[in-house]
Amino acid sequence: MRSPHPVPTHPHPFEAPPAPPTHRRTKRRGRRGRFAFAVKTVASLAVLAAFLTLADRWAVLYAEHRAADTLKQRLRLTAAPEVEIGGFPFLTQLADRRLESVQVTVPDVAADRVTLAAVSATGRDIRLDGDGPTSVRGARVPELHGDVLLSFADMNRELGASQVTFTGAARDRVAVRGTLPVAGHDLRLRADVRVARDGRRGVDTRIGGIRLDIGDLATYRPGTRPAEGLHLTPASAAALARETRKARALLAVPSVVRALGVPDATVREAQRSDTALARLTGRPEFVRQALRLNLLDLALAHPELLSRLGLDPALLDALSHLTRPALADRLSLAFQLPEPSSGELRLRDVRVERDGIRVRITGSALAVGS
């Protein structure tokens, strides 16, 4: 019969007694658990932030694409502009219907006779018009700053037709060099274009120093002043003094003799004697007076005389119709900024740079859309 009270058993004399419980491991496990939870929480927040950022950036890209298409249609552009919306986050700005900044770059904008290579403008504190974030009908731009580039490369292609080049010569001056076909002859062209602001929205160009060289024979400068018209070059005037036949042909014209200021007796003697002719044409005064002769005046009454000098009568007739306004119109770079439907758009500065003419623009109280 078993005893009602169990007899306690004793461990084996060679077995170690059980170790007492320790609280250090429990504390470590607790700290590790809290650390793991914190890491998971931070990772989750990072994933959520990345998702929200990605969603915000996708919304920006979509809005920029829609804005570019809308501007292309309403402004009747040949290519869609580049639109960049600034500020973060975008969705918050959209909900508030106020954008921090929007930069728009429009390439290849037609402006009178030239094409503007790029029109770039940045509007700030833009207020959106609409019933909600998804129904934007237009925008109001209280402040706008930008610039317009009139590229020399475009001008060379459009105005020069691969024969005339435009290059920057000074802050307000453009040099024009090349050839101009006139009556079947390629004449060397030189001109200077001065660029200045014309009112609030226009760029004006003044053409000066226009010169057309007919080889080394003569130079044409359009105008009615004594230094303008068609004149021999110093080299051809000196050669004329050495060529007996051409000199006698020139002295046979009374108007030329009067222009040269040579006495009639001296002219008659020079017509009879080569020695007297050489003595007359060898004087420095003869060459200087020959340079002052306007050959266009001679062409009207004595076309055969200019033929003897090596000038084509058809070319002389074409030059007589090639006036300063006609030449200046070919080289004009003037243009006007479009007038906005509301607000004000004006020029702030015009400067000639290495790659073209750059115009700074400002605007205020502008509206886009309905």
Side-chain angles (χ1 to χ4, degrees):
M1 184 173 180
R2 294 183 179 181
S3 171
H5 301 285
V7 180
T9 60
H10 297 283
H12 194 277
F14 297 102
E15 290 183 1
T22 61
H23 300 284
R24 183 177 299 175
R25 293 180 181 176
T26 304
K27 291 180 179 179
R28 288 180 180 177
R29 290 174 182 173
R31 285 197 295 267
R32 289 177 182 176
R34 289 193 296 272
F35 179 75
F37 176 77
V39 170
K40 292 180 180 179
T41 301
V42 171
S44 300
L45 292 176
V47 172
L48 178 61
F51 176 77
L52 293 177
T53 301
L54 182 62
D56 190 84
R57 293 301 90 190
W58 274 109
V60 168
L61 292 176
Y62 176 76
E64 290 173 347
H65 179 72
R66 286 288 304 273
D69 289 343
T70 301
L71 288 174
K72 178 183 177 182
Q73 295 176 1
R74 292 182 177 176
L75 299 181
R76 299 179 181 179
L77 303 174
T78 57
E82 297 179 6
V83 179
E84 182 177 350
I85 300 175
F88 181 83
F90 166 71
L91 292 175
T92 303
Q93 297 182 76
L94 187 61
D96 194 34
R97 291 190 294 178
R98 184 186 297 262
L99 301 180
E100 180 180 312
S101 67
V102 175
Q103 180 177 355
V104 179
T105 301
V106 185
D108 301 330
V109 179
D112 297 336
R113 298 177 60 246
V114 296
T115 297
L116 305 179
V119 178
S120 180
T122 300
R124 300 191 181 280
D125 194 23
I126 299 173
R127 302 171 186 178
L128 303 178
D129 294 331
D131 299 328
T134 60
S135 60
V136 177
R137 297 188 302 268
R140 288 172 291 165
V141 185
E143 178 186 359
L144 181 141
H145 297 276
D147 62 62
V148 174
L149 175 64
L150 181 59
S151 169
F152 286 138
D154 291 340
M155 286 189 284
N156 294 339
R157 182 180 64 253
E158 297 176 355
L159 301 182
S162 301
Q163 295 177 307
V164 177
T165 59
F166 297 79
T167 56
R171 185 189 183 280
D172 62 343
R173 188 161 55 90
V174 178
V176 182
R177 302 291 184 267
T179 60
L180 185 67
V182 180
H185 298 266
D186 288 332
L187 308 185
R188 291 196 304 269
L189 170 67
R190 296 172 62 90
D192 293 324
V193 181
R194 293 197 175 272
V195 181
R197 187 172 59 180
D198 181 17
R200 291 189 173 186
R201 295 187 298 106
V203 172
D204 182 38
T205 55
R206 298 181 181 180
I207 317 298
I210 302 176
R211 192 178 86 186
L212 293 171
D213 293 329
I214 307 173
D216 295 328
L217 182 60
T219 297
Y220 175 68
R221 295 180 175 87
T224 57
R225 292 182 296 182
E228 297 169 339
L230 182 63
H231 297 268
L232 295 172
T233 64
S236 61
L240 174 64
R242 296 189 300 267
E243 297 181 20
T244 303
R245 182 179 177 185
K246 291 182 180 180
R248 281 204 169 98
L250 198 63
L251 293 173
V253 180
S255 59
V256 174
V257 173
R258 290 192 297 270
L260 293 173
V262 181
D264 292 340
T266 304
V267 172
R268 288 193 296 269
E269 184 181 1
Q271 294 286 25
R272 294 191 301 266
S273 169
D274 290 344
T275 302
L277 179 63
R279 186 167 57 248
L280 171 62
T281 57
R283 296 162 53 189
E285 293 80 3
F286 180 84
V287 176
R288 288 198 295 267
Q289 293 293 341
L291 289 174
R292 297 176 183 176
L293 292 174
N294 190 343
L295 302 181
L296 286 181
D297 295 337
L298 295 178
L300 298 176
H302 307 281
E304 72 288 348
L305 173 61
L306 296 183
S307 297
R308 291 184 182 180
L309 296 178
L311 293 170
D312 182 6
L315 173 61
L316 299 177
D317 181 67
L319 288 176
S320 64
H321 295 88
L322 197 59
T323 62
R324 176 179 290 275
L327 277 173
D329 182 66
R330 294 191 185 188
L331 305 177
S332 176
L333 312 177
F335 67 90
Q336 290 278 331
L337 291 178
E339 185 173 1
S341 57
S342 64
E344 185 179 21
L345 186 65
R346 61 186 180 275
L347 299 178
R348 187 176 62 183
D349 181 55
V350 180
R351 181 187 297 269
V352 177
E353 298 181 350
R354 177 179 297 181
D355 54 347
I357 301 173
R358 191 170 298 276
V359 181
R360 307 292 181 184
I361 60 175
T362 59
S364 60
L366 301 172
V368 179
S370 57

